[in-house]
Amino acid sequence: MLNRFEAREKATAGFLEKAARELSVPPFALMMRAPLPLSYQLPDFRSTNPTPGVFERQTLEAIEQARAIQRRAVAFGHSSNPLPASRLDPGTLEQTAARFRRFLRLSDQRQYDCKDALEFYRLCRFEIERHGIFILHRSFPSVDGSGFCLADPPAPIICVNTMAQTAGRRLFTLAHELAHVTIGASGVSDPFIRKNDTEIICNKFAAALLAPKSLVSRVVTELRLDPNPSRVDIARVAKRLKISQQASVIRLEELQYVSAGTHRRWLTGINVSGDPDTETGGGGGGPTPQHKVKLARFGFSFAKVFGAALRDGALAPIDLYRLTGLKPKYQSAYFNFASLARYDDAEEE
């Protein structure tokens, strides 16, 4: 294909450099007779039979950076805490999710008292990272999924795609990727594309983790929810549960609080009016302090491990910059802030 393009368009060296950049390979790879072997390829769990996927440059860069962070964390001796389970059996998912909620200190009341989905997301992230799992934020094309995980012990990493995802949707992505870490299945996912058994079981776990039956029952009772709810009703449930609207309607139907087919009807409605779980605009207000922005992007586990390495001289500021893009002028402020920060101190730009 490249040869035909060159013959037709008289491709310049500049074009070849751009093409190589988009493919995340060195320019000479385009001239090789055999494909350049790739060192690491993540399965795409959005397919029926998950195999190594083909992703956009920004996604490939996010994956490679996460891999580099993981390798360096392991070299520093980091090890996450054992999770409450290492498998997810369909028949015991509710019980397993309940064990995880205790492990993460997510009581019904603590969740209910959160101001909104964003606060609950930050709380869940903090509690997961408290056990040594890395949670990174990166923005890459939404066509490449909602997030990915590198489940390899002893330093598993979850990366949440911040592109056009509301806090509620990020929350479900986070819980879904935690399920992938639990069963040791690294890969790229979109919780709302379910074409294989792994994604189905990870979704069911995420729903049970974020919306336990006891809390859903409380909200249904408080709102006197009709078995044939309107989209306004679904939005009210989601607001009380602090999760996305789609996750709410799926869970309500799963627990038989609403009639069969409610989720399908809800999907039909948003195809006309727009998806309420997708962000369509920016925020406002003044600039966010950079130490809070870095905390949102890299998280608490990263700050603990790499801040210690920097203080101990095991890592130089310029090496940390080359690894992550975190400029030396922001490093100390971020690491010092993260050591004392609360779960809700991380803020996006």
Side-chain angles (χ1 to χ4, degrees), residues 230-244:
S230 66
R231 277 181 288 157
V232 172
D233 293 331
I234 297 300
R236 288 172 177 164
V237 171
K239 187 174 181 180
R240 295 279 180 105
L241 292 176
K242 315 303 188 301
I243 63 177
S244 70

Side-chain angles (χ1 to χ4, degrees), residues 39-233:
S39 60
Y40 189 80
Q41 293 177 279
L42 274 185
D44 189 344
F45 278 93
R46 297 169 300 166
S47 55
T48 304
N49 298 302
T51 55
V54 178
F55 306 111
E56 299 283 339
R57 172 179 54 83
Q58 298 96 319
T59 312
L60 292 173
E61 290 174 351
I63 293 170
E64 287 302 319
Q65 185 181 84
R67 285 288 293 171
I69 290 172
Q70 186 181 59
R71 287 194 297 268
R72 195 62 69 91
V74 172
F76 292 150
H78 175 72
S79 182
S80 62
N81 297 334
L83 294 174
S86 59
R87 55 185 297 176
L88 299 175
D89 295 318
T92 58
L93 270 183
E94 297 290 334
Q95 297 92 318
T96 301
R99 290 205 306 274
F100 268 82
R101 283 181 68 86
R102 291 191 294 271
F103 180 71
L104 299 174
R105 305 187 298 185
L106 299 178
S107 67
D108 287 4
Q109 193 61 47
R110 195 179 189 196
Q111 178 173 346
Y112 192 85
D113 289 343
C114 284
K115 180 177 63 176
D116 52 25
L118 178 58
E119 182 179 348
F120 186 45
Y121 172 82
R122 289 170 173 168
L123 173 62
C124 290
R125 178 185 186 177
F126 177 83
E127 291 295 347
I128 293 170
E129 289 210 80
R130 195 168 58 86
H131 294 284
I133 295 174
F134 290 77
I135 299 175
L136 308 177
H137 281 184
R138 285 295 296 263
S139 180
F140 51 85
S142 54
V143 69
D144 282 345
S146 301
F148 64 83
C149 87
L150 308 178
D152 318 87
I157 291 180
I158 291 171
C159 183
V160 176
N161 186 3
T162 59
M163 177 71 74
Q165 285 201 91
T166 61
R169 205 175 192 282
R170 291 185 196 183
L171 180 62
F172 201 82
T173 296
L174 176 61
H176 180 97
E177 298 302 336
L178 179 61
H180 272 268
V181 171
T182 300
I183 61 178
S186 299
V188 173
S189 304
D190 185 330
F192 298 107
I193 299 178
R194 304 172 299 279
K195 295 183 179 180
N196 57 73
D197 291 342
T198 298
E199 294 302 88
I200 291 172
I201 196 72
C202 287
N203 264 17
K204 288 184 177 295
F205 170 82
L209 178 71
L210 299 175
K213 187 174 182 179
S214 55
L215 183 57
V216 176
S217 177
R218 172 180 174 177
V219 169
V220 166
T221 301
E222 287 179 351
L223 296 178
R224 300 179 181 178
L225 187 67
D226 189 277
N228 295 297
S230 66
R231 277 181 288 157
V232 172
D233 293 331

Side-chain angles (χ1 to χ4, degrees), residues 25-38:
V25 298
F28 70 80
L30 301 178
M31 305 302 177
M32 297 177 67
R33 293 185 179 276
L36 186 71
L38 300 179

